[in-house]
Amino acid sequence: MTDESGPWLVVGLGNPGREYAGNRHNVGFMVADLLAGRLGGRFGRHKRAVAEAAEGRLGFGGPKLVLVKPLTYMNLSGGPVVALAQFHKIPPGRVIAVHDELDIPYGQVRVKCGGGEGGHNGLRSMSKSLGTKDYVRVRFGIGRPPGRQDPADYVLSDFSSSERKELDFLVDRAADVVESVITKGVEPTQNLYHGA
């Protein structure tokens, strides 16, 4: 990684507005909200970006985290991310995107650095705006849509009642994964959580 004492930018990807709050596509917002609670931070509108941001430290004297929820809708997420990365002087190697992932079964959380976007518009916008794909992704599995349901409709629908029974636990695990990436690194985190 880069400067060990520098801050981290944790981006929860989602869409603003109450009508999207429970959508599968908004799981990044859910994880960001939980992390803000853990850090004792509160989201507020940022003066330099179309986003809500919260700040805090991971543990006593630990690394600083800047949590971000872009308010531009998913396909324009990159603009606010770059604005905040520049404002806080955070390089792409210390940016973590938390997002829903169709190619991973529900109930699994995976982490990787770099790679493709898998058709995810939020990631595509981030990669374009950052000028690189070399940032960390915490991928929250939502599975494939049932039958012939359009993936676009599926991600913009709410979690099912059976999925919601596990959702709080899985959001909590995803927040643990984010913290592990920051404190231990990507590879140790993969070793810890990819078997789970």
Side-chain angles (χ1 to χ4, degrees):
M1 289 291 176
T2 50
D3 170 25
E4 288 304 312
S5 62
W8 287 79
L9 191 66
V10 179
V11 182
L13 289 173
N15 288 309
R18 193 169 294 163
E19 68 271 33
Y20 298 106
N23 289 180
R24 292 178 175 91
H25 222 22
N26 268 43
V27 75
F29 275 18
M30 297 173 197
V31 175
D33 285 336
L34 180 65
L35 281 166
R38 286 185 183 183
L39 300 177
R42 295 176 75 144
F43 276 102
R45 187 66 184 260
H46 199 274
K47 59 183 181 283
R48 296 285 179 89
V50 185
E52 287 190 345
E55 296 180 21
R57 288 200 176 272
L58 201 53
F60 182 72
K64 179 181 173 184
L65 269 64
V66 180
L67 304 169
V68 186
K69 295 192 293 185
L71 297 178
T72 50
Y73 293 98
M74 190 67 84
N75 59 351
L76 297 173
S77 300
V81 172
V82 165
L84 283 158
Q86 290 173 345
F87 181 78
H88 291 281
K89 298 179 173 58
I90 300 172
R94 294 178 81 86
V95 174
I96 301 173
V98 185
H99 63 92
D100 58 302
E101 176 61 68
L102 286 162
D103 292 326
I104 296 175
Y106 183 73
Q108 295 182 16
V109 180
R110 297 286 179 262
V111 60
K112 72 173 186 174
C113 189
E117 290 96 6
H120 196 290
N121 290 332
L123 293 177
R124 190 177 291 140
S125 177
M126 278 185 62
S127 296
K128 185 177 177 187
S129 296
L130 288 167
T132 181
K133 297 181 180 189
D134 293 333
Y135 53 91
V136 179
R137 298 99 184 275
V138 171
R139 307 156 75 208
F140 189 107
I142 60 169
R144 284 270 159 199
R148 295 172 179 240
Q149 186 179 5
D150 180 12
D153 293 335
Y154 177 70
V155 299
L156 291 175
S157 61
D158 287 357
F159 287 99
S160 68
S161 56
S162 62
E163 287 171 336
R164 280 199 297 271
K165 289 175 185 167
E166 281 189 279
L167 186 59
D168 287 348
F169 167 76
L170 296 171
V171 167
D172 197 63
R173 176 186 280 171
D176 289 345
V177 169
V178 171
E179 291 186 4
S180 177
V181 167
I182 291 165
T183 58
K184 297 181 174 74
V186 170
E187 203 171 312
T189 300
Q190 290 170 333
N191 294 338
L192 264 175
Y193 288 95
H194 284 200

